[in-house]
């Protein structure tokens, strides 16, 4: 058998490197939420469990709301709390089909990601159930829903660079000015900006 050509092993290794900005690595819960103002997950958990029974997290698209929720749910579960996290998709006007089964578990803490999707009747039913159950409700939305605000997410170029560096490690050198222009092109949406970095990483790997 002929030996592989020189450099083949290196090329195989280089091509096997995972893109640090792949969708798998951007899922909520993979990275911890990063605070720009010195706040913390522990402090937010304390404020919600000891404050108003219904609160909101608000912030624009791609500012880290779902990542923040995943970090909150993990910390609350670590404290021994019963937490139910429900994620609503665009245009979902009612609670998901498995909501009755989740409700039967009598969770003390319920988190609704994408609350603004719900119609007025679904919101009224959810609030009534919370009141009857004596549970606590935390919701996310892009704008205020008239509830006490637990936290407002926002994305700065410095925070975006911190997240990008944490993902890329030493695989991909990111020019801060380049990232700033990507963020501006995507309206400050960190998720879309990281997807743009995925394309740039692939292009650099191909030598383009």
């Amino acid at each position: 058998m002929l030996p592989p050509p020189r450099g083949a092993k290196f090329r195989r290794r280089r091509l096997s490197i995972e893109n640090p900005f792949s969708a798998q690595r951007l899922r909520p819960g993979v990275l911890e939420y990063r605070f720009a103002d010195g706040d913390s997950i522990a402090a937010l958990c304390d404020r919600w469990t000891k404050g108003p029974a219904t609160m909101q997290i608000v912030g624009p698209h791609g500012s880290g709301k779902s990542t923040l929720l995943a970090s909150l749910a993990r910390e609350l579960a670590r404290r021994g709390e019963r937490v139910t996290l429900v994620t609503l998709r665009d245009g979902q006007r009612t609670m998901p089909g498995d909501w009755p089964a989740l409700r039967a578990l009598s969770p003390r803490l319920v988190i609704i990601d994408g609350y603004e999707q719900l119609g007025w009747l679904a919101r009224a039913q959810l609030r009534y159930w919370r009141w009857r159950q004596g549970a606590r409700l935390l919701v996310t939305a892009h704008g205020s829903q008239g509830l006490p605000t637990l936290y407002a997410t926002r994305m700065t170029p410095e925070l975006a660079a911190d997240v990008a560096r944490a993902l890329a490690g030493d695989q991909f050198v990111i020019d801060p000015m380049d990232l700033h222009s990507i963020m501006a092109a995507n309206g400050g949406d960190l998720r879309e900006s990281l997807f743009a970095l995925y394309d740039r990483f692939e292009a650099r790997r191909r030598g383009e």
Side-chain angles (χ1 to χ4, degrees):
M1 180 181 295
L2 293 174
R6 294 182 62 184
K9 184 181 296 185
F10 170 76
R11 286 197 297 272
R12 284 197 297 269
R13 184 166 62 247
R14 183 180 64 181
L15 291 175
S16 67
I17 295 174
E18 180 186 1
N19 191 313
F21 307 107
S22 65
Q24 184 76 6
R25 301 192 67 185
L26 301 184
R27 290 180 305 159
V30 175
L31 284 175
E32 288 290 333
Y33 183 81
R34 284 167 163 73
F35 291 91
D37 52 8
D39 218 323
S40 69
I41 294 295
L44 262 61
C45 288
D46 290 341
R47 292 208 295 272
W48 182 34
T49 55
K50 298 174 183 177
T54 302
M55 301 189 76
Q56 66 181 3
I57 292 174
V58 296
H61 277 290
S63 61
K65 295 187 297 298
S66 295
T67 297
L68 177 56
L69 286 189
S71 296
L72 283 171
R74 187 162 50 245
E75 171 62 17
L76 290 166
R78 188 192 67 79
R79 296 182 182 194
E81 298 282 6
R82 294 197 310 276
V83 184
T84 292
L85 173 58
V86 178
T87 300
L88 303 175
R89 305 303 175 190
D90 289 345
Q92 189 168 340
R93 304 289 291 171
T94 60
M95 294 294 285
D98 60 350
W99 171 240
L102 295 173
R103 188 174 57 192
L105 298 175
S106 300
R108 193 178 90 86
L109 306 176
V110 177
I111 302 174
I112 308 294
D113 189 10
Y115 176 77
E116 62 195 338
Q117 307 295 328
L118 293 176
W120 70 268
L121 180 58
R123 295 188 190 194
Q125 291 171 335
L126 182 62
R127 290 195 300 267
Y128 179 72
W129 171 84
R130 188 219 62 77
W131 174 75
R132 287 288 303 272
Q133 186 70 21
R136 288 182 172 272
L137 180 64
L138 177 63
V139 306
T140 70
H142 296 123
S144 177
Q145 303 299 300
L147 301 170
T149 298
L150 176 65
Y151 193 75
T153 58
R154 61 188 181 90
M155 187 52 55
T156 66
E158 294 76 20
L159 194 57
D162 186 35
V163 173
R165 282 193 296 266
L167 286 165
D170 59 359
Q171 296 185 64
F172 190 60
V173 177
I174 301 167
D175 185 328
M177 292 302 296
D178 194 27
L179 180 58
H180 192 280
S181 66
I182 292 173
M183 289 285 292
N186 287 282
D189 187 321
L190 177 62
R191 187 186 305 110
E192 293 301 321
S193 297
L194 292 176
F195 286 147
L197 286 176
Y198 176 96
D199 294 335
R200 296 202 175 194
F201 183 90
E202 290 299 309
R204 183 173 298 181
R205 180 157 59 177
R206 293 192 300 267
E208 297 177 1

